[in-house]
Amino acid sequence: MPPAPPHSTCENQESTSIQDRIHNHPCYSEKAHHHYARLHLAVAPACNIQCNYCNRKYQCANESRPGVVSELLTPAQALKKTLLVSEKLPQLSVVGIAGPGDPLANPQRVFSVFKTLATQAPDLRLCISTNGLALPEWVDELARYSVEHVTVTINCIDPEIGAQIYPWIFWKNRRYKGIKAAEILLAQQQKGLKMLVERGMLVKVNSILIPGINDHHLPEVNRFIKQTGAFLHNITPLIAKAEHGTYYGLTRQREPSPEELLTVRQICGENMNVMHHCRQCRADAVGLLGEDRNAEFTLADLDNHPDIDHQAVMQKRMLAKTQIQAALTNPTANYHIPLSSLKTSKNSLKKYRSLLVAVATRGQGLINEHFGHAKEFLIYEASAQEIKLLRVHKTQLYCTGQQECDEAETRMHNILQGLAGCELLLCAKIGYAPWKQLEAAGIQPNSEYAMVPITQAIANIYAEFKQAGKLTLSSQQQAS
Ligand code: CLF
Ligand code: SF4
């Protein structure tokens, strides 16, 4: 057996039983997210609170953020969609309900879906994401349907801060505002978290980083959730665009910079598992985390499609799972195993600097995306000790296939901003014009590793750079 890869924080430290529960969940396992798909069923329209970063009225097929959907589903349509998606994407491993409102504010619809899936697609993992207000009431019902992965959004543990994030809640047939609302919500979230942990469920806590509101407070939230037994902390940046019509968007609340996000994730990551590969999905997202194929599965498609045999698609999913697992454990593929050259002493960390590398991929853990077609870049940090995914930079396509030179310039500007600090960009292919622009900005494009596993390519490059003396720190730098 090859050594455990130093690639993903979660995977390295977990026991076998936890591994079994996360190995094919694309959010709980960074490794899995290259291979396994998720499906969000948008069956939950209502919400029981208001967050200052949310406006569910705004809908746009190109918009990717929580709370947004194109079409709401009935529970019956949700089942049909699951079967149809399985037929086309047998690597589907998780079905989640994440909105567009709060799932537990729509319990009849949500549990009706879980009940059906538990019998018609028992191999699929069930997942839910909630604001936590109604959570204590429904924990046992979640356990009944073996919903083992639950996300609770906890942005603060201090009601004074909560009052700046949540203007109101609706609880036990009454509307509460201000501090009182925050006190109730936070108490419910904390109670729900504790109950989930007591029942052995794997809890992910989502926290939105809101500069000036909870940025300095999140390490405290992190200590609290770790102490309570949460499995994973997912800190994501606030999205606050005026055109979305949210309170924060309209009041021009600042979004955090990539550096601010990294800093908070780094601080919290010293204490517990922190997620780095979240894509802030829409509530109707379909596919690998980096892609959204919802447009291929519209209500019209569902209506026009003949009935699907749930046993047959389950067989397809099982086969896909076996194939993915076989590929992942094939030592010659080296999907997630950096070369042994990285396994150096702690002293090497002082001698050699790290390297930031941007990667264009469309899944399978490979460098397999054309630069012009990339909708996102994964930013990895390679050091003498490990290769880790730091963040994901989402972008507009550089190439739309049309003559829109002005727009291409703007898009390249945005890409360069998002890749700041990277020294290399690995992709399957790249045109002459963007190559020159990247080079001029100090980012070396490289398509020599097309179809090579990401970590293997980065490990090779790191070893080459190291051997060429490009990463050696001066004695002054080593001393500081
Ligand atoms: Fe969906 Fe969320 Fe389950 Fe994943 S998403 S309900 S845990 S299956 Fe994942 Fe999307 Fe980030 Fe959520 S990348 S927004 S963390
Ligand atoms: Fe929007 Fe979710 Fe907040 Fe409800 S809990 S207001 S759906 S972000």
Side-chain angles (χ1 to χ4, degrees), residues 46-56 66-67 98-102 130-131 166:
C47 192
N48 45 9
I49 70 171
Q50 180 61 56
C51 304
N52 281 333
Y53 45 76
C54 178
N55 175 11
R56 282 167 295 123
D102 186 75
T130 174
N131 62 40
Y166 309 104

Short mmCIF file of all heavy atoms in Angstrom, two decimals, residues 46-56 66-67 98-102 130-131 166, ligand 2:
data_model
loop_
_atom_site.label_atom_id
_atom_site.label_comp_id
_atom_site.label_asym_id
_atom_site.label_seq_id
_atom_site.Cartn_x
_atom_site.Cartn_y
_atom_site.Cartn_z
N ALA A 46 -39.75 27.51 1.62
CA ALA A 46 -39.97 28.47 2.71
C ALA A 46 -38.75 28.59 3.61
O ALA A 46 -37.94 27.67 3.72
CB ALA A 46 -41.16 28.01 3.55
N CYS A 47 -38.64 29.73 4.26
CA CYS A 47 -37.59 29.89 5.27
C CYS A 47 -38.18 30.49 6.53
O CYS A 47 -39.16 31.22 6.48
CB CYS A 47 -36.44 30.75 4.74
SG CYS A 47 -35.01 30.64 5.83
N ASN A 48 -37.56 30.16 7.65
CA ASN A 48 -38.08 30.62 8.94
C ASN A 48 -37.24 31.73 9.56
O ASN A 48 -37.48 32.12 10.70
CB ASN A 48 -38.18 29.43 9.91
CG ASN A 48 -36.91 28.57 9.88
OD1 ASN A 48 -35.92 28.95 9.25
ND2 ASN A 48 -36.95 27.43 10.54
N ILE A 49 -36.22 32.18 8.83
CA ILE A 49 -35.44 33.32 9.32
C ILE A 49 -35.10 34.22 8.13
O ILE A 49 -35.33 33.85 6.97
CB ILE A 49 -34.12 32.88 10.01
CG1 ILE A 49 -33.10 32.32 9.00
CG2 ILE A 49 -34.36 31.88 11.11
CD1 ILE A 49 -31.71 32.08 9.60
N GLN A 50 -34.55 35.38 8.41
CA GLN A 50 -34.00 36.20 7.33
C GLN A 50 -32.52 36.45 7.64
O GLN A 50 -32.17 36.86 8.74
CB GLN A 50 -34.74 37.53 7.23
CG GLN A 50 -34.22 38.44 6.12
CD GLN A 50 -34.34 37.81 4.73
OE1 GLN A 50 -35.42 37.41 4.31
NE2 GLN A 50 -33.22 37.68 4.02
N CYS A 51 -31.68 36.15 6.65
CA CYS A 51 -30.25 36.47 6.77
C CYS A 51 -29.99 37.70 5.91
O CYS A 51 -30.56 37.82 4.82
CB CYS A 51 -29.39 35.33 6.24
SG CYS A 51 -29.71 33.74 7.02
N ASN A 52 -29.12 38.56 6.39
CA ASN A 52 -28.86 39.78 5.62
C ASN A 52 -28.11 39.54 4.32
O ASN A 52 -27.94 40.45 3.53
CB ASN A 52 -28.07 40.78 6.49
CG ASN A 52 -28.98 41.51 7.45
OD1 ASN A 52 -30.17 41.68 7.18
ND2 ASN A 52 -28.43 41.94 8.58
N TYR A 53 -27.65 38.31 4.09
CA TYR A 53 -26.93 38.02 2.84
C TYR A 53 -27.80 37.24 1.86
O TYR A 53 -27.30 36.72 0.86
CB TYR A 53 -25.63 37.24 3.11
CG TYR A 53 -25.77 36.09 4.08
CD1 TYR A 53 -26.36 34.89 3.71
CD2 TYR A 53 -25.32 36.22 5.39
CE1 TYR A 53 -26.49 33.85 4.60
CE2 TYR A 53 -25.44 35.18 6.30
CZ TYR A 53 -26.04 33.99 5.90
OH TYR A 53 -26.17 32.96 6.80
N CYS A 54 -29.09 37.12 2.12
CA CYS A 54 -29.93 36.25 1.29
C CYS A 54 -31.09 37.01 0.67
O CYS A 54 -31.76 37.81 1.33
CB CYS A 54 -30.47 35.11 2.14
SG CYS A 54 -31.57 34.00 1.24
N ASN A 55 -31.34 36.74 -0.60
CA ASN A 55 -32.56 37.19 -1.26
C ASN A 55 -32.96 36.11 -2.23
O ASN A 55 -32.38 35.96 -3.30
CB ASN A 55 -32.32 38.50 -2.01
CG ASN A 55 -33.55 38.92 -2.79
OD1 ASN A 55 -34.63 38.34 -2.63
ND2 ASN A 55 -33.40 39.91 -3.66
N ARG A 56 -33.96 35.32 -1.83
CA ARG A 56 -34.33 34.17 -2.66
C ARG A 56 -35.19 34.57 -3.85
O ARG A 56 -35.50 33.74 -4.69
CB ARG A 56 -35.02 33.11 -1.80
CG ARG A 56 -34.03 32.32 -0.98
CD ARG A 56 -34.68 31.49 0.08
NE ARG A 56 -35.33 32.32 1.08
CZ ARG A 56 -36.60 32.26 1.39
NH1 ARG A 56 -37.39 31.41 0.80
NH2 ARG A 56 -37.09 33.06 2.32
N PRO A 66 -25.80 29.91 -2.76
CA PRO A 66 -26.90 29.26 -2.05
C PRO A 66 -28.17 30.09 -2.10
O PRO A 66 -28.12 31.31 -2.23
CB PRO A 66 -26.37 29.18 -0.61
CG PRO A 66 -24.88 29.27 -0.75
CD PRO A 66 -24.63 30.15 -1.94
N GLY A 67 -29.30 29.42 -2.02
CA GLY A 67 -30.58 30.14 -1.99
C GLY A 67 -31.17 30.37 -3.36
O GLY A 67 -32.31 30.80 -3.49
N ALA A 98 -30.87 21.59 0.23
CA ALA A 98 -30.22 22.79 0.76
C ALA A 98 -31.00 24.04 0.38
O ALA A 98 -30.45 25.11 0.22
CB ALA A 98 -28.80 22.87 0.21
N GLY A 99 -32.31 23.89 0.19
CA GLY A 99 -33.06 25.09 -0.12
C GLY A 99 -34.02 24.92 -1.27
O GLY A 99 -34.41 23.80 -1.59
N PRO A 100 -34.41 26.06 -1.85
CA PRO A 100 -33.83 27.40 -1.72
C PRO A 100 -34.13 28.08 -0.39
O PRO A 100 -33.50 29.10 -0.07
CB PRO A 100 -34.46 28.19 -2.87
CG PRO A 100 -35.76 27.48 -3.12
CD PRO A 100 -35.50 26.03 -2.84
N GLY A 101 -35.05 27.58 0.41
CA GLY A 101 -35.28 28.13 1.75
C GLY A 101 -34.53 27.28 2.76
O GLY A 101 -33.45 26.77 2.46
N ASP A 102 -35.14 27.07 3.92
CA ASP A 102 -34.50 26.18 4.89
C ASP A 102 -35.24 24.84 4.87
O ASP A 102 -36.46 24.79 5.09
CB ASP A 102 -34.56 26.76 6.31
CG ASP A 102 -33.75 25.87 7.24
OD1 ASP A 102 -32.51 25.93 7.17
OD2 ASP A 102 -34.35 25.07 8.00
N THR A 130 -28.99 23.26 6.98
CA THR A 130 -30.03 24.03 7.66
C THR A 130 -29.46 25.20 8.44
O THR A 130 -28.30 25.19 8.84
CB THR A 130 -30.83 23.11 8.62
OG1 THR A 130 -31.75 23.89 9.37
CG2 THR A 130 -29.93 22.37 9.61
N ASN A 131 -30.34 26.19 8.67
CA ASN A 131 -29.92 27.32 9.52
C ASN A 131 -29.99 26.94 11.00
O ASN A 131 -29.53 27.69 11.85
CB ASN A 131 -30.78 28.56 9.22
CG ASN A 131 -32.25 28.34 9.54
OD1 ASN A 131 -32.62 27.71 10.53
ND2 ASN A 131 -33.13 28.88 8.69
N TYR A 166 -28.91 38.64 11.39
CA TYR A 166 -30.28 38.15 11.23
C TYR A 166 -31.27 39.21 11.71
O TYR A 166 -31.38 39.44 12.92
CB TYR A 166 -30.49 36.87 12.07
CG TYR A 166 -29.43 35.82 11.84
CD1 TYR A 166 -28.41 35.60 12.79
CD2 TYR A 166 -29.42 35.04 10.69
CE1 TYR A 166 -27.44 34.63 12.59
CE2 TYR A 166 -28.45 34.08 10.48
CZ TYR A 166 -27.46 33.88 11.44
OH TYR A 166 -26.49 32.93 11.24
FE1 SF4 B 2 -31.72 32.53 2.95
FE2 SF4 B 2 -30.88 30.22 3.98
FE3 SF4 B 2 -30.76 32.47 5.43
FE4 SF4 B 2 -33.12 31.34 4.89
S1 SF4 B 2 -31.46 30.48 6.14
S2 SF4 B 2 -32.64 33.52 4.76
S3 SF4 B 2 -32.75 30.57 2.81
S4 SF4 B 2 -29.59 32.00 3.56
#
